Structures are given as C-alpha cells and as structure tokens.
C-alpha cells in the first residue's frame, strides 16, 4: 500500500477501499470511491493539501505526496486530468515553472467578464462585493462571459479598483450572431450582443455566400488575444436584418439561450404517458372534490397554480396546489439536465422558450380545467390578522373546477351586473372568499412594511407583419394582487418548512442595500427634509415610512425611483438571508416549477422531507446548491437581458418611422453624459445628450440625480418633465437620440430643495421651425458666446 502523506494536521490519503475508507481524511472519499474503480483524492482534499504545504507543487511532487506514483499509470493520468480541470475551473493556477498553486496565495482573483457597450468591462467575483474595472485594452483579450484569472493593479481615475487579466480559464462564446459587413476583400461580423464590442473577422473563404447586412451565425475559430481580435467563419445565414421575428431569433443566439430539444430528451419524453394514470395517483390525497381554480392572464397556456380559501371558526384555510413537475422530471434524467441548462422559461413578445417541453408545460403539468392532474399542495391555516399559523405539505390529485382570467375575477368582484357571475356561478362564492382573505393578507402586508414600488408594465400590440402597432400599459388589478398574496404565503410556508427540516435548498434572497448606496440615498433624501430611520441597518419598514411621507407630493415619483435603484438584485442561494423587500425572514420559490428550476428543486426537497427521510440520502449537498444558485441567478439575468434586447430593437424600429415627431416625456435617469427620458404614451426611452441642454457647462450630481448648468444654474433632475423631438435611431446599437425642445417644469421648488431657483435658459435649442409661436419669422440673433471674426493683419496673424 505504500507510505501515505502526513501533513501539518496529519492529513492522510491513500488507495481507498471499502475496508479503509473510514480512516481516510478526505471528506469526499466515499463519493470518489462510488464514482471510480481506482479513486484519487477529491478536489477539496487537493486544495486543503496545497493550503497546508503552503507552496506550489509540480505534478510529480503533488502525486508523490498523495501516494500516487507514475508506475500506476491509470491513477497518475487521472490526477493529471483532475488538475487540468481544476485549472480550467479557476480552482488552481499554474506558474511559469509548471507548479500548481492556490489562486488566493498568489494574490489572484477568479471571476467572470461583464462587457459594457462602450468597450470597457468589469470582472464579477464571488470574493469581492464590488466588481473590478477592466479597461478597453484589457477587454481586447476576452469576450463578455469569459471566465478569467486576474490581478488587482490599483485604481482608475474614478477610484474604482482595476484589474488586469492573467489567464482565460474558460471561453464563454464559441458562436456569435451578428450582422455581416463586406468591403472589397474584407468581411467582418458585428455581434448583436451589445456587450461584445469586438467585430469578428471573417476570411473570404468563410463567407458561405452571405450578403452585406444579413444576419449570420459565425463560429469563432480563434479567440481574441492582445495581438488580434476574434476570427471566425459563417456557418449559417439566418436571414435579412429586418425580417419579422428576426429580433427574437438573434436575441436567442446572442445570449446563448438553449432552444432546441435533444433527441435523447425527446426519446425519454415518449416514455411518459399522455394522461395521468391510476398508478400515478397511488398514495396521493384526493382533492378532486375541492373547488380549486386557476386565475391567470388571458394569454397564458401553462397553469401551474390553483387556489381555494375557506373561512373557519378561528381563521382561514388557504390551499395552494402547484403542478407536481417533480413526479415527471427525475434527478439526472434528460428532462432534468435540459431544465437545469435552461434555468427558466424565457418570455419574448409573441413567443416563449419554455423550460420544459409542451407535453409537460402545456399539458400533463398544466392544471387545465376539468381534468385530473398531479399536484404538490401547501395547505395553510391563517389567523384572522393574516399570520401563518400552521402549514402542511402533501402529494395530491386535483381537478380544477374553472380557468379564470384576472380581468374576469376583477369584474366579478367589482361589477354587480357582471356576465361572468352567470358563466362561473358555482365559483362566485369561492372567489369572494378568496377576496375576503386577500384583504386580510393585504392589511398584514402593510403592517409588516413590505415594499411596493409602482412600476408600469407594458404590452406591445402587433400588426399582421409582427411589427409594433401600439404600446399599452398593463394595469394590475385586485385579482393580480389576490393571487400574488396567496403565492407569497405559500412561498413563506415552504421556506419555514424546509428550514425546520434542515435540508440544503435554494432560498430566494434579497439582501438589504449596500452601505455605499445607503449613504448616497440618505444624502439625497436630506435635500427633501426626509430621514431614513434604522441607522446603519434600516429595515423595509423604515423605507416604507419614507414612501408614505412623500405620497401625494410632486416629487413622490422621484423619491420612490431613487429608493428602488438603491436596492440589491434578488438571487438564489443556499444561505438564508431573508427577503428585504418583502420583509420576510424566510422565503423560497415554490409556486412555478413549470418555468423555474429552483422551484423544481424545492419540490424535490419537500417530497424528501414529507417522506420523513431526514437529511440522509437527500440528492443534493450544500456545495451543489451553491452552484445551482449561481447558475439559476445567471440564467434569470440572461433571460432578462435577451428579452430586453428584443423589446428594445422592436421599440427602436417602431420609433425609426417617427423621426422628427415631438413627444412629452419624463426624465427617467441622469448621467454624466446626458439624461434618458421616457416618452409619454409610448413608454420608450431615449437619450438627450448633454450637448443638447444649451450653451452652458453642465455638471452631474450623482447624489441628487441631476445635471446643473454652471452659468445659468438650470437644473435637470430625475422626474422632471420635458418635451423632445426624435432626432436619430440607430438599430444596430439600439440607440435613440432625442433633441430637447423645452423643459416643461424648469427648476421646480421642492420641499427641502436647496437647488438655486433660476430663470429658464433662453439658450436652449428650439424646434426645427422658422416661425415663432405667433407665426412670425424668427429674428436671427447671435449667441452670447459669439465672437466677431476679424481679418488677420500683417505678420502678427502668423505668430
């Protein structure tokens, strides 16, 4: 058996057998023994070993210290492959002498590159709260999404920590979608993803017959480096630039959203019956008598939640039944692998890329009316003051008694003469019970201090050519909020239940705002005579108190917008840190396993706990959940970026036919280079560049979210109203440039406002017209900065 390694803490690793596994210090020795006939040390053990020897080690040194010798070719090669994989995954780094070392010991950082449309980028790391800045020069080496090893080299001129890239451990992009450009004997593809600013050079023999301006798919043959940009060849001509639906196809490819089902998955899907069978129902509680109903949007096709509420002697019973996707999608199956890969369904205008095939998402797992369906049930007791008292989870079979829409339910509750009361007569009593419970839950929400920001959602109405005809706001009525409160209560019950069972799961975590953002927010609020309570640890109730103070004030929208932007983004992670915005101590996603992979994982945990198996034998570990959480958070952001890209292109195209038209708008964001404004009625954002603001030097105040003129004192701040003209639309970069016509409420006097009140700026550019407001020709006048040009005199002019 040979000698085994004895380190500073007597770590031991040698050839593992069933007999000696208990004496091996590798905590994952059992896992390695189950996976391999001739196991080698786990990644975790190798990292701990290098930590203790406290020096980089070459392959031969490391193998010898782990009792793995070159004569044992199979295990020696396995160790070599493992070390290469650890290099690839950024767990180790190899120095110039060929020795493997720990990244943190070499003052290096592993991270993911985030590109910016302006050419520079950032490095997102798990070990640091703030992203590291990457200059445009550094970004020449990589593409957005690449995983790298980097070193901090100091700070840039804005005080941001700056990094240089040492090594690329994983290239994210092997294919790109973009628009091909051909000029003489040269061709290049400009990527559709605006986070990738490098064009892909295409040699003449790699054009595949593509024509100027077409959308193509290009394979990257050579990744970028310091010396050259990416080089590739065209493998598919996707179509013409302005073809209907092309914006969605390009977004799918540009952001790497999986959209084709593997053959192995389709074969597995064929083995699943088309209907719920008697065998499927065995061991389940029968809820088919219960008047459960689904309430969704009018265009919804997958119904994953049904509800029922009933008044009791002391409180309420609320039943939330969720489609039992985990019954059909088993861990490690082809369906499971693809669902994890996708992470979530992606909702584009007029098109959905589902997480699960339609046989499951729209049929077997959809709680369609009047058919038997398998479900996972959260059965709750709620007090008269809206508090969750008890809950139980069980597997059941149900039969939805009605499929209602939000508008139908709202009409039933608010209109005595509603025709829907006749159509859904058996359900009216149950709808009213749900509404009564909703009012109790809403009061509890208000007392809890949960945050609710008024954001406007929009819907695009398309014409026959799949182009935008008009954009309308989506009004959230009481039926939307009713279902939302039921789902929130089920999610809280789920998190509490699994927390008690001590299973590793993914919580939906929304952390409190970061210290720097809090400091800026407090400075901003002080201008309005407002104070955020809670000191250094404000709660959601403290934020809610401020929003209550500004309700009905002229600057209410401004304050709420700035407060919303101070918030962190919610993520999935196994460490429970609560949900700040909703003011919940425990919160997890349980209610949408058809379209979110974290919910599917939660269902598996519930089943495991329900079968009273304890923590032993659960399919997942804490470390696996960490990986799942990062992936699902990333796939959620990927879906958001892809849909935003497609929607932005459609809006740009819509506005490109309206050049010269004038609109009233509200300033939605202020930056150092200008201000973004949202056009009334269209809900489309465009940029008013700082050079459009008049003949003055304007300075950006990031705390007060405004631009202020140095000479005139004129102030443009977030929330102000302006009138603008559409000047230019660039479809390739999704940019809308607007010309400022006038400030509709210049320098309003706000409570606590310390900005100097000044007269309106007469130097603002005017609309393109040769007449004034009375129809008279305008007088040509010189600007204040005009200087009369003189002819040069004598040799002095040449000096």
């Amino acid at each position: 058996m040979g000698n085994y390694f004895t380190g500073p803490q007597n770590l031991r690793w040698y050839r593992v057998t069933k007999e000696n596994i208990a004496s091996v210090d590798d905590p994952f020795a059992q896992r390695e023994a189950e996976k391999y006939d001739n196991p080698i040390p786990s990644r975790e053990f190798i990292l701990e070993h290098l930590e203790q020897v406290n020096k980089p080690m070459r392959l031969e040194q490391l193998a010898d210290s782990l009792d793995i010798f070159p004569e044992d070719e199979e295990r020696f090669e396995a160790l070599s492959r493992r070390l290469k994989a650890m290099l690839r995954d950024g767990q180790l780094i190899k120095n110039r002498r060929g020795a493997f070392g720990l990244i943190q010991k070499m003052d290096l950082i592993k991270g993911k590159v985030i590109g910016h449309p302006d050419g520079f980028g950032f490095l997102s790391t798990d070990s640091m709260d703030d992203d590291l800045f990457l200059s445009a020069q550094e970004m020449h080496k990589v593409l957005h999404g690449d995983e790298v090893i980097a070193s901090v080299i100091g700070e840039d001129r804005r005080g941001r920590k700056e990094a240089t890239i040492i090594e690329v451990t994983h290239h994210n992009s092997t294919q790109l979608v973009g628009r091909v450009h051909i000029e003489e004997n040269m061709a290049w593809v400009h990527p559709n993803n605006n986070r990738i600013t490098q064009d892909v050079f295409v040699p003449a023999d790699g054009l595949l017959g593509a024509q100027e301006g077409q959308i193509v798919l290009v394979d990257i043959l050579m990744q970028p480096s310091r010396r050259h940009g990416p080089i590739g060849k065209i493998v598919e001509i996707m179509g013409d630039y302005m073809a209907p639906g092309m914006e969605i196809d390009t977004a799918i490819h540009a952001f790497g959203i999986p959209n084709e089902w593997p053959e192995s998955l389709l074969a597995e899907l064929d083995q699943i019956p088309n209907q719920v069978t008697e065998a499927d129902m065995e061991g389940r509680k029968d809820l088919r008598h219960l008047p459960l109903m689904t309430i969704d949007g009018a265009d919804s096709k997958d119904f994953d939640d049904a509800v029922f509420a009933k008044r009791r002697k002391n409180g309420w019973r609320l039943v939330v039944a969720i489609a039992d996707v985990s019954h059909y999608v088993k861990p490690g199956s082809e369906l499971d692998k693809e669902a994890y890969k996708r992470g979530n369904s992606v909702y584009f205008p007029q098109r959905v890329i589902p997480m699960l095939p339609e046989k499951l998402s729209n049929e077997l797992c959809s709680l369609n009316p009047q058919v038997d369906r398998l479900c996972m049930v959260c059965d709750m007791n709620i007090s008269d003051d809206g508090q969750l008292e008890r809950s139980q989870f069980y597997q059941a079979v149900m039969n939805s008694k009605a499929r209602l829409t939000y508008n139908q339910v709202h009409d039933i509750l608010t209109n005595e003469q509603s025709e829907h009361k006749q159509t859904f007569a058996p359900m009216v009593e149950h709808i009213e019970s749900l509404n009564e419970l909703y009012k109790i839950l809403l009061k509890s929400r208000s007392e809890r201090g949960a945050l609710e920001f008024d954001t406007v959602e929009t819907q695009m109405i398309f014409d026959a050519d799949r182009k935008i005809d008009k954009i309308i706001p989506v009004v959230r009525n009481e039926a939307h909020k009713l279902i939302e409160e039921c789902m929130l209560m089920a999610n809280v019950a789920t998190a509490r239940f699994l927390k008690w069972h001590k299973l590793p799961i993914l919580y939906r975590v929304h952390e409190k705002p970061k210290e720097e953002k809090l400091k800026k927010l407090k400075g901003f609020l002080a201008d309005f005579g407002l104070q955020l309570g809670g000191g250094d640890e404000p709660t959601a109730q403290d934020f809610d108190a401020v929003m209550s103070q500004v309700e009905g004030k002229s600057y209410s929208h401004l304050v709420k917008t700035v407060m919303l932007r101070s918030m962190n983004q919610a993520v999935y992670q196994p460490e429970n840190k609560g949900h700040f915005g909703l003011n919940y101590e425990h919160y997890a996603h349980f209610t949408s396993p058809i379209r979110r992979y974290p919910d599917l994982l939660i269902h598996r945990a519930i089943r495991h706990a329900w079968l009273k198996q304890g923590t032993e034998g659960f399919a997942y570990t804490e470390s696996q959940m960490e990986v799942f959480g990062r992936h699902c958070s990333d796939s959620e952001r990927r879906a958001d970026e892809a849909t935003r890209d497609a929607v932005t292109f459609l809006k740009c195209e819509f506005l490109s036919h309206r050049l010269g038209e004038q609109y009233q708008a509200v300033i939605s964001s202020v930056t150092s280079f200008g201000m973004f404004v949202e056009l009334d009625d269209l809900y489309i954002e465009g940029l008013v560049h700082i050079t459009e603001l008049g003949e003055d030097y304007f300075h950006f105040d990031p705390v007060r979210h405004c631009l202020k003129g140095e000479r005139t004192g004129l102030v443009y701040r977030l929330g102000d109203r302006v009138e603008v003209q559409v000047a230019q639309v660039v479809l390739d970069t999704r940019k809308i440039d607007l010309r400022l016509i006038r400030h509709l409420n210049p320098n309003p006097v706000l409570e606590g406002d310390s900005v100097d009140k000044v007269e309106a700026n007469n130097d603002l550019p005017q609309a393109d017209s040769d007449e004034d407001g009375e129809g008279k020709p305008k007088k040509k006048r010189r600007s204040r900065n005009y200087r009369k040009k003189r002819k040069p005199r004598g040799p002095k002019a040449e000096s």
Side-chain angles (χ1 to χ4, degrees), residues 21 25 81 90 140 143 179 187 219 269 311 321 388 444 486 538 552 560 580 592 610 619 622 714 730 743 763:
I21 196 166
D25 287 328
R81 288 197 303 269
H140 279 306
L143 296 177
R179 195 175 180 189
D219 270 353
L269 194 64
R311 189 80 172 83
L388 177 64
S444 173
C486 291
K560 289 181 178 180
F580 181 84
S592 297
W610 181 73
E622 186 92 7
L714 184 62
V730 185
H743 199 169
D763 292 334

Side-chain angles (χ1 to χ4, degrees), residues 453-454 547 550-551 556-564:
F453 295 98
D454 299 324
M547 291 197 291
V550 300
E551 197 66 49
S556 172
H557 176 73
L558 167 62
V559 171
K560 289 181 178 180
T561 300
V562 174
M563 292 182 77
L564 175 61

Side-chain angles (χ1 to χ4, degrees), residues 117-130:
D118 290 338
F120 56 86
F122 297 93
L123 186 67
S124 175
T125 71
D126 294 332
S127 58
M128 302 182 73
D129 291 335
D130 295 325

Side-chain angles (χ1 to χ4, degrees), residues 42 93 124 286 326 380 395 417 434 595 628 631 701 725:
S42 67
I93 192 166
S124 175
D286 193 342
S326 61
M380 294 164 278
Q395 302 168 112
Q417 308 303 318
L434 276 168
R595 60 186 180 89
F628 291 161
H631 172 77
D701 185 338
Q725 182 183 51

